[in-house]
Amino acid sequence: MDQLPTGTLITIISVMGSILLTLASIIGYFLKDIRASVKENQNALDKNLQEIEKDFSDFKAELPHKYVLKDDFNRALKELKDDQTRAIAGLEHKVDTLTRDVREMLQSVSKLTGAGAGGKNE
């Protein structure tokens, strides 16, 4: 193989260097563009994550006001049943008292009417 003249060799090296430098510049530009795009996406994701965290915090704050734990519900239901039982027991006592009073009145009326009728027949 014959050797190339020095001028041609310098030209080839200059062209190759220019091509490599151009490729490196293009690659650098795309890397910079990709990095900026990744940074924008990361910022958008960070913003979305902050919104989700805020929504979740709000949800946790509202949760006890909208929903009740099963144990709390069962305890409240038992208290309500106990209150109803006491109220019904009080009503039953009043009804029993009224029934007793009505019986006593009927007996008194019956004695009065019976005694009055017996006194007239004699």
Side-chain angles (χ1 to χ4, degrees), residues 14-119:
S14 296
V15 170
M16 292 297 277
S18 296
I19 291 172
L20 287 176
L21 187 60
T22 303
L23 285 175
S25 298
I26 291 171
I27 290 172
Y29 172 77
F30 282 119
L31 286 176
K32 182 179 175 185
D33 188 45
I34 289 171
R35 184 174 179 208
S37 175
V38 167
K39 204 176 241 188
E40 286 176 16
N41 287 341
Q42 185 64 38
N43 289 338
L45 289 174
D46 288 343
K47 184 179 176 185
N48 288 341
L49 184 62
Q50 288 174 351
E51 289 176 10
I52 290 171
E53 287 174 348
K54 182 184 176 296
D55 290 344
F56 187 67
S57 295
D58 293 344
F59 176 73
K60 286 193 319 188
E62 293 176 7
L63 188 65
H65 300 289
K66 291 184 178 181
Y67 301 99
V68 178
L69 293 175
K70 185 177 181 180
D71 293 337
D72 292 341
F73 176 76
N74 287 337
R75 187 176 20 255
L77 189 61
K78 184 181 181 311
E79 290 173 5
L80 182 62
K81 285 180 181 178
D82 292 344
D83 290 346
Q84 287 177 341
T85 302
R86 281 192 294 275
I88 290 171
L91 288 174
E92 286 176 347
H93 177 70
K94 288 178 182 180
V95 168
D96 289 344
T97 303
L98 284 172
T99 304
R100 187 189 69 228
D101 291 345
V102 167
R103 276 193 191 132
E104 289 175 1
M105 284 187 197
L106 286 175
Q107 286 176 353
S108 296
V109 168
S110 145
K111 284 180 185 178
L112 288 173
T113 54

